[in-house]
Amino acid sequence: MKERLFSLAQLVALTRTPPQLLALAARTGCDGAGLRLLPSAPGGVHHPLMDDAPLLRETLAVLRDTGMRVFDLEVVRIGADFRLAHWQRFLAVGAQLQARHVLVAGDDPDEARLIEHFGALCDAARPFGLTADLEFMPWTAVSDLKTAARIVGAVGRDNAGLLIDALHFSRSSSTLDEVAALPPAWLHYVQVCDGAVPGPATVEGMIFDARCERLLPGEGAIALQALLARLPAGLPVSIEIPNEARARAMGHEAWAASCVQAARRVA
């Protein structure tokens, strides 16, 4: 069986710079990390390596010295005003980092236009060796697995992917049968965590929970092992378990170690 790779997601320690997060990933036994170069929402914490040459050099040095990998870069949001030229420097830096994947969020309610723009992003990412992985989230225009699969299928690019986050999966109308029916080539990695099922009743509550109060695998009611069993064997795992209160109380180092240990137990 293919050995599973583990990546520490930026949200576990959002304020850590890319070199700090990569070093933390190394100390906690991960194979790499995901880096947030762009905000998930206006004003959100991020680390714009595209505009900080010294920080980029430091990040590249840590990659060289630790043997860590950059698994994914966050986050490209495709809205109605999407302009491909805006993302060229982001993609070029991804190639410098030898990153594998770009996390994509779909915010455009016009599905035909979203498909067009997502396809253009895939085409632009290909020369840099990057996949573009569409993540469905209940509060976005791509709210469930069925919608994401329809879009990825319509785009038809060989580097177009579909990203499943266990929390969003559990809080959408998506099913395990839909997961099992996905073409394996669309799946490049999966995000794991745990949480209450059902989750918060409001969009605001779901967003806060997803960004600030996730649980360790085994602490909630998400059927993680059933989900992983329907995905390709050995699919890389992104450990995305932000919990601001517990990280403050324990310290980010101890919290990250707990996240990695819990993820390895279920995956």
Side-chain angles (χ1 to χ4, degrees):
M1 181 182 293
K2 182 180 177 182
E3 183 179 355
R4 196 185 293 279
L5 301 177
F6 290 85
S7 173
L8 191 66
Q10 181 80 68
L11 266 180
V12 174
L14 184 56
T15 59
R16 296 289 179 100
T17 65
Q20 290 171 342
L21 186 71
L22 287 162
L24 178 59
R27 292 194 299 271
T28 53
C30 289
D31 300 284
L35 305 180
R36 179 161 292 184
L37 306 191
L38 295 164
S40 62
V45 175
H46 63 293
H47 306 279
L49 293 178
M50 304 82 68
D51 307 314
D52 192 331
L55 188 60
L56 177 59
R57 285 194 297 270
E58 184 183 354
T59 303
L60 292 169
V62 171
L63 287 170
R64 183 180 61 250
D65 295 344
T66 63
M68 289 286 100
R69 311 172 189 183
V70 176
F71 272 73
D72 64 322
L73 301 176
E74 301 178 331
V75 50
V76 173
R77 306 201 72 98
I78 299 181
D81 60 349
F82 180 82
R83 296 293 181 272
L84 186 59
H86 177 72
W87 306 100
Q88 291 295 336
R89 179 61 180 150
F90 171 87
L91 296 173
V93 167
Q96 285 184 265
L97 296 167
Q98 296 185 313
R100 297 182 173 191
H101 316 297
V102 172
L103 190 153
V104 180
D107 292 331
D108 191 345
D110 184 330
E111 190 167 303
R113 186 170 56 200
L114 177 55
I115 289 168
E116 178 185 354
H117 287 156
F118 184 41
L121 177 65
C122 291
D123 292 341
R126 184 183 292 106
F128 295 107
L130 292 160
T131 70
D133 295 80
L134 183 63
E135 181 181 7
F136 61 93
M137 292 170 261
W139 57 85
T140 67
V142 186
S143 61
D144 56 25
L145 178 56
K146 185 179 297 184
T147 305
R150 186 171 62 243
I151 292 169
V152 173
V155 164
R157 304 316 202 266
D158 59 7
N159 65 330
L162 190 156
L163 176 59
I164 297 174
D165 179 314
L167 192 74
H168 304 325
F169 173 80
S170 73
R171 293 173 181 180
S172 68
S173 59
S174 308
T175 69
L176 291 171
D177 286 343
E178 289 171 349
V179 174
L182 292 171
W186 291 2
L187 300 163
H188 302 124
Y189 65 114
V190 60
Q191 293 178 328
V192 301
C193 67
D194 214 333
V197 179
T202 66
V203 168
E204 293 77 13
M206 284 193 291
I207 293 174
F208 181 81
D209 197 52
R211 294 176 180 172
C212 304
E213 290 191 337
R214 298 193 188 205
L215 302 178
L216 297 174
E219 292 183 338
I222 298 175
L224 281 173
Q225 290 179 324
L227 174 61
L228 291 169
R230 286 162 175 79
L231 294 169
L235 190 70
V237 166
S238 171
I239 301 166
E240 187 169 71
I241 315 175
N243 190 301
E244 290 188 356
R246 293 168 76 174
R248 279 196 303 268
M250 297 173 63
H252 280 102
E253 185 96 17
W255 174 247
S258 296
C259 293
V260 174
Q261 291 165 8
R264 285 186 175 274
R265 283 196 294 270
V266 300

